[in-house]
Amino acid sequence: MPESATPVAFPPAFLWGAATSAYQIEGAVREDGRTPSIWDTFSHTPGRTASGETGDIAVDHYHRYREDVALMAELGLSAYRFSISWSRVQPTGRGPAVQRGLDFYRRLVDELLAHGIRPAITLYHWDLPQELEDAGGWPERDVAFRFAEYARIVGEALGDRVEQWITLNEPWCSAFLGYGSGVHAPGRTDAAASLRAAHHLNLAHGLGASALRSVMPARNSVAVSLNSSVVRTVSQDPADLAAGRKIDDLANGVFHGPMLHGVYPETLLVATASVTDWSQVRDGDLAIINQPLDALGLNYYTPALVSAAGEARASGPRADGHGASPYSPWPGADDVAFHQMPGERTEMGWSIDPSGLHDLLMRYSREAPGLPLYVTENGAAYDDKPDPDGRVHDPERIAYLHGHLSAVRRALDDGAEVRGYYLWSLMDNFEWAYGYEKRFGAVYVDYATLARTPKSSAHWYGRAARTGTLPPATA
């Protein structure tokens, strides 16, 4: 049967959104009282980012937000997920808010609501105020309490108009890429510190969720966004299955264990015993972390393929998709080898496998029955270029989106409570250590002029958002 004869339809209330983060798009890093975050420091350190590029200007969303919101409305988006810059609101990570910083987010929220777009706020997308890092950063327990104070400030300011809240985005990256492999800010390489950071991020989530609920209307939703991995093994050999379990614990169980179930997996504690004694977990911490969630955000890009390590299996760089570093982001897992998945890849080198998104949604339907799920990030980087007429045609991204949204529809059919999908990203932007090399946006940004041009995928996605059905992948 032709593809167009059986349109893939979504529930009427399904949210069609796009996502961004503050440091990647805002720019204006020295305006209105903002002070440096760890990403300012990291990106200005020679050798840390591609071509030494920084987010100083990014795509200047701070000054162009009205244009960007109008573009979202033109495309037909029903929701927009963005993050707050902690050091713009609370520059030292302590004390009272800077109202000029909060005012930017007040204006942004008002603009979104005026265009009928539902705002979804992420409180932390990796940009810790530098002063808190100077005091020890996430490996220090105090930062979790500073985060709760910050959450209360933002919740008080915006909780009357914003109903969807996310405490942390991808705490795995903050802990293990920031403090383990060092490929993300702050660029530290200490396995034990990365596990302490993971626990304190969990604690920050629990304290932050409580702080938000103490100052916001009960109708508001509090969630977290996890980049949970779909971990596959090269064989069913017991050694490979043990390797898969170890990586699953480090990628997933270290966060969803305490957040959803109030416990760290015993297998995780055993596997990392040579790295840490877990004394960072104090009495009462797990109860604080195990706050009831109103929803769960899941970010998905590509599966992981692992085996037990061996000379024949572990040659060349670690193929985990998380950047090049002699230091591993997988503490206690030196006996695990990562492998490249077969098939097509994006510009990030990540394999394209929509079945992984279906598997992820079904897994969390079992982990937390009845909990509403959102795909809070999904997308692909391609080497997009304008044609001679200035149009940007990206059929690969359309095919990627069609495949992954079809996987979401299959998960709905199989009983998953999926409420919405946020495309990563609304527009091309500063892609962390990759600088401006990798383009994830549905909207093309000319970095010389900062002009925005919707790609063909943006128009395709807009049609899906307006109709609630997927256009053909060839559209």
Coordinates of all heavy atoms in Angstrom, one line a residue, residues 390-472:
G390 N 18.8 30.2 -2.2 CA 18.7 30.5 -0.8 C 17.8 29.5 0.0 O 17.7 29.6 1.2
R391 N 17.3 28.5 -0.7 CA 16.4 27.5 0.0 C 17.3 26.4 0.6 O 18.4 26.1 0.0 CB 15.4 26.9 -0.9 CG 14.4 27.9 -1.4 CD 13.5 27.3 -2.5 NE 14.3 26.9 -3.7 CZ 13.8 26.6 -4.9 NH1 12.5 26.6 -5.0 NH2 14.6 26.2 -5.9
V392 N 16.9 25.8 1.7 CA 17.7 24.7 2.3 C 16.8 23.5 2.3 O 15.8 23.4 3.0 CB 18.1 25.1 3.7 CG1 19.0 24.0 4.3 CG2 18.8 26.4 3.7
H393 N 17.2 22.5 1.5 CA 16.4 21.3 1.3 C 17.2 20.2 2.1 O 18.4 19.9 1.8 CB 16.3 20.9 -0.1 CG 15.4 19.7 -0.4 ND1 14.2 19.6 0.3 CD2 15.5 18.6 -1.2 CE1 13.6 18.4 -0.1 NE2 14.4 17.9 -1.0
D394 N 16.5 19.5 3.0 CA 17.2 18.5 3.9 C 16.3 17.3 3.9 O 15.8 16.9 5.0 CB 17.5 19.1 5.3 CG 16.2 19.6 6.0 OD1 15.2 19.9 5.3 OD2 16.3 19.7 7.2
P395 N 16.3 16.5 2.8 CA 15.4 15.3 2.8 C 15.9 14.3 3.8 O 15.0 13.5 4.3 CB 15.6 14.8 1.4 CG 16.9 15.4 0.9 CD 17.0 16.7 1.6
E396 N 17.2 14.2 4.2 CA 17.6 13.2 5.1 C 16.9 13.5 6.5 O 16.5 12.5 7.2 CB 19.1 13.3 5.3 CG 19.9 13.0 4.0 CD 20.2 14.3 3.3 OE1 19.7 15.4 3.6 OE2 21.0 14.2 2.3
R397 N 16.8 14.8 6.9 CA 16.2 15.0 8.2 C 14.7 14.7 8.1 O 14.1 14.3 9.1 CB 16.4 16.5 8.6 CG 15.9 16.9 10.0 CD 16.3 18.3 10.4 NE 17.7 18.3 10.7 CZ 18.6 18.9 9.9 NH1 18.3 19.4 8.8 NH2 19.9 18.9 10.3
I398 N 14.1 15.0 7.0 CA 12.6 14.6 6.9 C 12.5 13.1 7.1 O 11.6 12.7 7.8 CB 12.1 15.1 5.5 CG1 12.0 16.6 5.5 CG2 10.7 14.5 5.3 CD1 11.6 17.2 4.1
A399 N 13.3 12.3 6.4 CA 13.2 10.9 6.6 C 13.5 10.5 8.0 O 12.8 9.6 8.5 CB 14.2 10.2 5.6
Y400 N 14.4 11.1 8.7 CA 14.7 10.8 10.1 C 13.5 11.1 10.9 O 13.1 10.3 11.8 CB 15.9 11.7 10.5 CG 16.4 11.4 11.9 CD1 17.5 10.7 12.2 CD2 15.7 12.0 13.0 CE1 17.9 10.4 13.5 CE2 16.2 11.8 14.3 CZ 17.2 11.0 14.5 OH 17.7 10.8 15.8
L401 N 12.9 12.3 10.8 CA 11.8 12.7 11.6 C 10.6 11.7 11.3 O 9.9 11.3 12.2 CB 11.4 14.1 11.3 CG 12.4 15.2 11.7 CD1 11.9 16.6 11.3 CD2 12.6 15.1 13.2
H402 N 10.3 11.4 10.0 CA 9.2 10.5 9.7 C 9.4 9.2 10.4 O 8.5 8.6 11.0 CB 9.1 10.4 8.2 CG 7.9 9.6 7.8 ND1 7.8 8.3 7.8 CD2 6.7 10.1 7.3 CE1 6.6 7.9 7.4 NE2 5.9 9.0 7.1
G403 N 10.6 8.7 10.3 CA 10.9 7.4 11.0 C 10.7 7.4 12.5 O 10.1 6.5 13.1
H404 N 11.2 8.4 13.1 CA 11.1 8.5 14.6 C 9.7 8.8 15.1 O 9.3 8.3 16.1 CB 12.2 9.4 15.1 CG 13.6 8.9 15.0 ND1 14.3 8.8 13.9 CD2 14.4 8.3 16.0 CE1 15.5 8.2 14.1 NE2 15.5 7.9 15.3
L405 N 9.0 9.7 14.4 CA 7.7 10.0 14.8 C 6.8 8.8 14.5 O 5.8 8.5 15.3 CB 7.1 11.2 14.0 CG 7.6 12.5 14.6 CD1 7.5 13.7 13.6 CD2 6.9 12.9 15.9
S406 N 7.0 8.0 13.5 CA 6.3 6.8 13.3 C 6.5 5.8 14.4 O 5.6 5.1 14.9 CB 6.7 6.1 11.9 OG 6.3 6.9 10.9
A407 N 7.8 5.8 15.0 CA 8.1 5.0 16.1 C 7.3 5.4 17.3 O 6.8 4.6 18.1 CB 9.6 5.0 16.4
V408 N 7.1 6.7 17.5 CA 6.3 7.3 18.6 C 4.9 6.8 18.4 O 4.2 6.4 19.4 CB 6.4 8.8 18.6 CG1 5.4 9.3 19.7 CG2 7.8 9.3 19.0
R409 N 4.3 6.8 17.2 CA 3.0 6.4 17.0 C 2.8 4.9 17.3 O 1.8 4.5 17.9 CB 2.6 6.6 15.5 CG 1.2 6.2 15.1 CD 0.1 7.0 15.8 NE -0.5 6.2 16.8 CZ -1.6 6.6 17.5 NH1 -2.2 7.7 17.2 NH2 -2.1 5.8 18.4
R410 N 3.8 4.1 17.0 CA 3.8 2.7 17.3 C 3.7 2.5 18.8 O 3.0 1.6 19.3 CB 4.9 1.9 16.7 CG 4.9 1.8 15.2 CD 5.9 0.7 14.6 NE 7.2 1.0 15.0 CZ 8.0 1.8 14.2 NH1 7.5 2.4 13.2 NH2 9.3 2.0 14.6
A411 N 4.5 3.3 19.5 CA 4.5 3.2 21.0 C 3.2 3.5 21.6 O 2.7 2.9 22.5 CB 5.6 4.1 21.6
L412 N 2.5 4.6 21.0 CA 1.1 4.9 21.4 C 0.2 3.7 21.2 O -0.6 3.4 22.0 CB 0.7 6.1 20.6 CG 1.2 7.5 21.1 CD1 1.0 8.5 20.0 CD2 0.5 7.9 22.4
D413 N 0.3 3.1 20.0 CA -0.5 1.9 19.7 C -0.3 0.8 20.7 O -1.2 0.0 21.0 CB -0.2 1.5 18.3 CG -0.7 2.4 17.2 OD1 -1.6 3.3 17.5 OD2 -0.2 2.4 16.1
D414 N 1.0 0.7 21.2 CA 1.3 -0.4 22.1 C 1.1 0.0 23.6 O 1.5 -0.7 24.5 CB 2.8 -0.8 21.9 CG 3.0 -1.5 20.6 OD1 2.1 -2.0 20.0 OD2 4.2 -1.5 20.1
G415 N 0.4 1.1 23.8 CA 0.0 1.5 25.1 C 0.8 2.5 25.9 O 0.5 2.8 27.0
A416 N 1.9 3.1 25.3 CA 2.7 4.1 25.9 C 1.9 5.4 26.0 O 1.2 5.8 25.1 CB 4.0 4.3 25.2
E417 N 2.0 6.1 27.2 CA 1.3 7.3 27.4 C 2.2 8.5 26.9 O 2.7 9.3 27.8 CB 1.0 7.4 28.9 CG 0.0 8.6 29.3 CD -1.4 8.3 28.8 OE1 -1.8 7.2 28.5 OE2 -2.1 9.3 28.6
V418 N 2.4 8.6 25.6 CA 3.2 9.7 25.1 C 2.4 10.9 24.8 O 1.4 10.8 24.0 CB 4.0 9.2 23.8 CG1 5.0 10.2 23.4 CG2 4.6 7.8 24.0
R419 N 2.7 12.0 25.4 CA 1.9 13.2 25.3 C 2.4 14.3 24.3 O 1.7 15.2 23.9 CB 1.7 13.9 26.7 CG 1.1 13.0 27.7 CD -0.4 12.9 27.6 NE -1.0 12.1 28.6 CZ -1.3 12.5 29.8 NH1 -1.1 13.8 30.1 NH2 -1.9 11.7 30.7
G420 N 3.7 14.1 23.9 CA 4.2 15.2 23.0 C 5.6 14.9 22.5 O 6.3 13.9 23.0
Y421 N 6.1 15.6 21.6 CA 7.4 15.4 20.9 C 8.0 16.8 20.7 O 7.3 17.7 20.1 CB 7.2 14.7 19.6 CG 8.4 14.5 18.7 CD1 9.1 13.4 18.8 CD2 8.8 15.5 17.8 CE1 10.2 13.2 17.9 CE2 9.9 15.3 17.0 CZ 10.6 14.2 17.1 OH 11.7 14.0 16.3
Y422 N 9.3 17.0 21.1 CA 10.0 18.2 20.9 C 11.2 17.9 20.0 O 12.1 17.2 20.4 CB 10.5 18.8 22.3 CG 9.4 19.3 23.2 CD1 8.7 18.4 24.0 CD2 9.1 20.6 23.2 CE1 7.7 18.9 24.8 CE2 8.1 21.1 24.0 CZ 7.4 20.3 24.8 OH 6.4 20.7 25.6
L423 N 11.1 18.5 18.8 CA 12.2 18.4 17.8 C 13.5 19.1 18.4 O 13.4 20.2 18.8 CB 11.8 19.0 16.5 CG 12.8 19.2 15.5 CD1 13.4 17.9 15.0 CD2 12.2 20.0 14.3
W424 N 14.6 18.4 18.3 CA 15.9 19.1 18.5 C 16.5 19.3 17.2 O 16.8 18.3 16.5 CB 16.8 18.2 19.4 CG 18.0 19.1 19.8 CD1 19.2 19.1 19.1 CD2 18.1 20.0 20.8 NE1 20.0 20.0 19.6 CE2 19.4 20.6 20.7 CE3 17.3 20.5 21.8 CZ2 19.9 21.6 21.6 CZ3 17.8 21.4 22.7 CH2 19.0 22.0 22.6
S425 N 16.7 20.5 16.8 CA 16.4 21.7 17.5 C 15.6 22.7 16.7 O 15.5 22.5 15.5 CB 17.8 22.4 17.9 OG 17.6 23.6 18.7
L426 N 15.1 23.7 17.3 CA 14.4 24.7 16.5 C 15.2 25.2 15.4 O 14.8 25.3 14.2 CB 13.9 25.8 17.4 CG 13.3 27.0 16.7 CD1 11.9 26.6 16.0 CD2 13.0 28.2 17.6
M427 N 16.5 25.6 15.7 CA 17.4 26.2 14.7 C 18.8 25.8 15.0 O 19.2 25.4 16.0 CB 17.2 27.7 14.7 CG 17.4 28.4 16.0 SD 17.0 30.1 16.0 CE 16.6 30.4 17.7
D428 N 19.6 25.9 13.9 CA 21.0 25.7 14.1 C 21.6 26.6 15.2 O 21.2 27.7 15.4 CB 21.8 26.0 12.8 CG 21.3 25.1 11.6 OD1 20.9 24.0 11.9 OD2 21.5 25.6 10.5
N429 N 22.6 26.0 15.9 CA 23.1 26.8 17.1 C 24.5 26.3 17.5 O 25.1 25.5 16.8 CB 22.1 26.7 18.2 CG 21.7 25.3 18.6 OD1 22.6 24.4 18.7 ND2 20.4 25.1 18.8
F430 N 25.0 26.8 18.6 CA 26.2 26.4 19.1 C 26.1 25.0 19.7 O 25.4 24.7 20.7 CB 26.7 27.4 20.2 CG 28.0 27.0 20.9 CD1 29.2 27.3 20.3 CD2 28.0 26.4 22.2 CE1 30.4 27.0 20.9 CE2 29.1 26.1 22.8 CZ 30.4 26.4 22.2
E431 N 26.8 24.0 19.0 CA 26.7 22.6 19.4 C 27.8 22.2 20.3 O 28.6 21.4 20.0 CB 26.6 21.8 18.2 CG 26.3 20.3 18.4 CD 25.1 20.0 19.3 OE1 24.1 20.7 19.2 OE2 25.3 19.1 20.1
W432 N 27.9 22.9 21.5 CA 28.8 22.5 22.6 C 30.2 22.4 22.0 O 30.7 23.3 21.4 CB 28.3 21.3 23.3 CG 26.9 21.4 23.7 CD1 25.8 20.7 23.3 CD2 26.4 22.4 24.7 NE1 24.6 21.2 23.9 CE2 25.0 22.1 24.8 CE3 26.9 23.3 25.5 CZ2 24.1 22.9 25.6 CZ3 26.1 24.1 26.4 CH2 24.7 23.8 26.4
A433 N 30.9 21.4 22.3 CA 32.4 21.3 22.0 C 32.5 21.2 20.4 O 33.7 21.5 20.0 CB 33.0 20.0 22.6
Y434 N 31.5 20.9 19.7 CA 31.6 20.9 18.2 C 31.5 22.3 17.7 O 31.5 22.5 16.4 CB 30.5 20.0 17.6 CG 30.7 18.6 18.0 CD1 30.0 18.0 19.0 CD2 31.6 17.8 17.2 CE1 30.2 16.6 19.4 CE2 31.8 16.4 17.6 CZ 31.1 15.9 18.6 OH 31.2 14.6 18.9
G435 N 31.3 23.3 18.5 CA 31.1 24.7 18.0 C 30.0 24.8 17.0 O 28.8 24.4 17.3
Y436 N 30.2 25.4 15.9 CA 29.1 25.6 14.9 C 29.2 24.6 13.7 O 28.6 24.8 12.7 CB 29.1 27.1 14.4 CG 28.8 28.0 15.6 CD1 29.8 28.6 16.3 CD2 27.5 28.3 16.0 CE1 29.6 29.5 17.4 CE2 27.2 29.1 17.0 CZ 28.2 29.7 17.7 OH 28.0 30.5 18.8
E437 N 30.0 23.5 13.9 CA 30.2 22.6 12.9 C 28.9 21.7 12.6 O 28.7 21.3 11.4 CB 31.3 21.6 13.2 CG 32.7 22.2 13.1 CD 33.7 21.2 13.4 OE1 33.4 20.0 13.8 OE2 34.9 21.5 13.2
K438 N 28.1 21.4 13.6 CA 27.0 20.5 13.4 C 25.7 21.2 13.5 O 25.4 21.9 14.4 CB 27.1 19.4 14.6 CG 28.4 18.7 14.7 CD 28.8 17.9 13.5 CE 30.1 17.2 13.8 NZ 30.6 16.5 12.6
R439 N 24.9 21.0 12.4 CA 23.6 21.7 12.3 C 22.5 20.7 12.6 O 22.2 19.9 11.8 CB 23.5 22.3 10.9 CG 24.5 23.4 10.6 CD 24.3 24.0 9.2 NE 25.2 25.1 9.0 CZ 24.9 26.4 9.2 NH1 23.7 26.7 9.7 NH2 25.7 27.3 8.9
F440 N 21.8 20.9 13.8 CA 20.7 20.1 14.2 C 19.4 20.8 13.8 O 18.3 20.3 14.0 CB 20.7 19.9 15.7 CG 21.6 18.7 16.1 CD1 22.9 18.8 16.4 CD2 21.0 17.4 16.2 CE1 23.7 17.7 16.8 CE2 21.8 16.3 16.6 CZ 23.1 16.5 16.9
G441 N 19.4 22.1 13.4 CA 18.2 22.9 13.3 C 17.2 22.5 12.2 O 17.7 22.1 11.1
A442 N 15.9 22.7 12.5 CA 15.0 22.7 11.4 C 15.0 24.0 10.7 O 14.5 24.1 9.5 CB 13.6 22.4 11.9
V443 N 15.5 25.0 11.3 CA 15.7 26.4 10.7 C 17.2 26.6 10.5 O 18.0 26.5 11.4 CB 15.1 27.5 11.6 CG1 15.4 28.8 11.0 CG2 13.6 27.2 11.7
Y444 N 17.6 27.0 9.3 CA 19.0 27.2 9.0 C 19.3 28.6 9.5 O 18.6 29.6 9.3 CB 19.2 27.2 7.4 CG 20.6 27.4 7.0 CD1 21.5 26.4 6.9 CD2 21.0 28.7 6.6 CE1 22.8 26.6 6.5 CE2 22.3 28.9 6.2 CZ 23.2 27.9 6.1 OH 24.5 28.1 5.7
V445 N 20.5 28.8 10.1 CA 21.0 30.0 10.5 C 22.3 30.3 9.8 O 23.3 29.5 9.8 CB 21.3 30.1 12.0 CG1 21.9 31.4 12.4 CG2 20.0 29.8 12.8
D446 N 22.3 31.5 9.1 CA 23.5 32.0 8.4 C 24.3 32.6 9.6 O 24.0 33.7 10.0 CB 23.2 32.9 7.3 CG 24.4 33.5 6.6 OD1 25.5 33.6 7.3 OD2 24.3 33.9 5.4
Y447 N 25.4 32.0 10.0 CA 26.2 32.6 11.1 C 26.8 33.9 10.9 O 27.2 34.6 11.8 CB 27.2 31.5 11.6 CG 26.5 30.3 12.2 CD1 26.8 29.0 11.7 CD2 25.5 30.4 13.2 CE1 26.2 27.9 12.2 CE2 24.9 29.2 13.7 CZ 25.3 28.0 13.2 OH 24.7 26.9 13.7
A448 N 27.0 34.3 9.6 CA 27.6 35.6 9.3 C 26.5 36.7 9.5 O 26.9 37.8 10.0 CB 28.1 35.6 7.9
T449 N 25.3 36.4 9.1 CA 24.2 37.5 9.2 C 23.2 37.2 10.3 O 22.4 38.1 10.6 CB 23.5 37.6 7.8 OG1 22.8 36.4 7.6 CG2 24.5 37.8 6.7
L450 N 23.2 35.9 10.8 CA 22.2 35.5 11.7 C 20.8 35.4 11.1 O 19.8 35.3 11.8 CB 22.2 36.3 13.0 CG 23.5 36.2 13.8 CD1 23.4 37.0 15.0 CD2 23.9 34.7 14.1
A451 N 20.7 35.5 9.8 CA 19.4 35.3 9.1 C 18.9 33.9 9.3 O 19.6 32.9 9.3 CB 19.5 35.6 7.7
R452 N 17.6 33.8 9.6 CA 16.9 32.5 9.7 C 16.2 32.1 8.5 O 15.4 32.9 7.9 CB 15.9 32.5 10.9 CG 16.5 32.4 12.3 CD 17.0 33.7 12.9 NE 17.0 33.7 14.3 CZ 18.0 34.0 15.1 NH1 19.1 34.4 14.5 NH2 17.9 34.0 16.4
T453 N 16.4 30.8 8.0 CA 15.7 30.3 6.9 C 15.1 28.9 7.2 O 15.9 28.0 7.4 CB 16.6 30.2 5.7 OG1 17.2 31.4 5.4 CG2 15.8 29.6 4.4
P454 N 13.8 28.7 7.3 CA 13.3 27.4 7.5 C 13.7 26.4 6.4 O 13.6 26.7 5.3 CB 11.8 27.6 7.5 CG 11.6 29.1 7.9 CD 12.7 29.8 7.2
K455 N 14.2 25.3 6.9 CA 14.6 24.2 5.9 C 13.3 23.5 5.5 O 12.2 23.7 6.1 CB 15.6 23.3 6.6 CG 16.8 23.9 7.2 CD 17.7 23.0 8.0 CE 18.8 23.7 8.7 NZ 19.6 22.8 9.5
S456 N 13.5 22.6 4.5 CA 12.3 21.9 4.1 C 11.7 21.0 5.2 O 10.5 20.8 5.3 CB 12.6 21.0 2.8 OG 13.7 20.2 3.1
S457 N 12.6 20.6 6.1 CA 12.2 19.8 7.3 C 11.3 20.6 8.2 O 10.3 20.1 8.8 CB 13.3 19.2 8.0 OG 14.1 20.2 8.6
A458 N 11.5 21.9 8.3 CA 10.7 22.7 9.2 C 9.3 22.8 8.6 O 8.3 22.8 9.3 CB 11.3 24.1 9.3
H459 N 9.2 23.0 7.3 CA 7.9 23.0 6.6 C 7.2 21.7 6.8 O 6.0 21.6 7.0 CB 8.0 23.5 5.2 CG 8.6 24.8 5.0 ND1 7.9 26.0 5.4 CD2 9.7 25.3 4.4 CE1 8.6 27.0 5.2 NE2 9.7 26.7 4.6
W460 N 7.9 20.6 6.6 CA 7.3 19.3 6.8 C 6.8 19.1 8.2 O 5.7 18.6 8.4 CB 8.4 18.2 6.4 CG 7.9 16.8 6.5 CD1 7.4 16.1 5.5 CD2 7.9 16.0 7.7 NE1 7.1 14.8 5.9 CE2 7.3 14.7 7.3 CE3 8.2 16.1 9.0 CZ2 7.2 13.7 8.2 CZ3 8.0 15.1 9.9 CH2 7.5 13.9 9.5
Y461 N 7.6 19.4 9.2 CA 7.2 19.3 10.6 C 6.1 20.2 10.9 O 5.2 19.8 11.7 CB 8.4 19.6 11.5 CG 8.2 19.3 12.9 CD1 7.9 18.0 13.4 CD2 8.2 20.3 13.9 CE1 7.7 17.7 14.7 CE2 8.0 20.0 15.2 CZ 7.7 18.8 15.6 OH 7.5 18.5 17.0
G462 N 6.1 21.4 10.3 CA 4.9 22.3 10.5 C 3.6 21.7 10.0 O 2.6 21.8 10.6
R463 N 3.7 21.1 8.9 CA 2.5 20.4 8.3 C 2.0 19.3 9.3 O 0.8 19.2 9.5 CB 2.8 19.8 7.0 CG 2.8 20.8 5.8 CD 3.2 20.1 4.5 NE 2.2 19.1 4.1 CZ 2.4 18.2 3.2 NH1 3.6 18.1 2.5 NH2 1.5 17.3 2.9
A464 N 2.9 18.6 9.8 CA 2.6 17.5 10.8 C 1.9 18.1 12.0 O 0.9 17.7 12.6 CB 3.8 16.7 11.2
A465 N 2.5 19.2 12.5 CA 2.0 19.9 13.7 C 0.6 20.5 13.5 O -0.3 20.4 14.4 CB 2.9 21.0 14.2
R466 N 0.4 21.0 12.3 CA -0.9 21.6 12.0 C -2.0 20.6 11.8 O -3.2 20.8 12.1 CB -0.8 22.6 10.8 CG -0.1 23.9 11.1 CD -0.2 24.8 9.9 NE 0.4 24.3 8.7 CZ 1.7 24.4 8.4 NH1 2.5 25.1 9.2 NH2 2.1 24.0 7.2
T467 N -1.7 19.5 11.2 CA -2.7 18.5 10.8 C -2.8 17.3 11.8 O -3.8 16.6 11.8 CB -2.4 17.9 9.4 OG1 -1.1 17.2 9.5 CG2 -2.3 19.0 8.4
G468 N -1.7 17.1 12.6 CA -1.7 15.9 13.5 C -1.5 14.6 12.8 O -1.6 13.6 13.4
T469 N -1.0 14.7 11.5 CA -0.7 13.5 10.8 C 0.7 13.7 10.1 O 1.1 14.9 9.8 CB -1.7 13.2 9.7 OG1 -1.8 14.3 8.8 CG2 -3.1 13.0 10.3
L470 N 1.4 12.6 9.8 CA 2.7 12.7 9.2 C 2.6 12.8 7.7 O 2.0 11.9 7.1 CB 3.6 11.5 9.6 CG 3.9 11.3 11.0 CD1 4.9 10.2 11.2 CD2 4.4 12.6 11.7
P471 N 3.1 13.9 7.1 CA 3.2 13.9 5.6 C 4.1 12.8 5.1 O 4.9 12.3 5.9 CB 3.8 15.3 5.3 CG 3.6 16.1 6.6 CD 3.6 15.1 7.7
P472 N 4.0 12.4 3.9 CA 4.9 11.4 3.4 C 6.4 11.9 3.6 O 6.7 13.1 3.5 CB 4.6 11.3 1.9 CG 3.2 11.8 1.8 CD 3.0 12.8 2.9

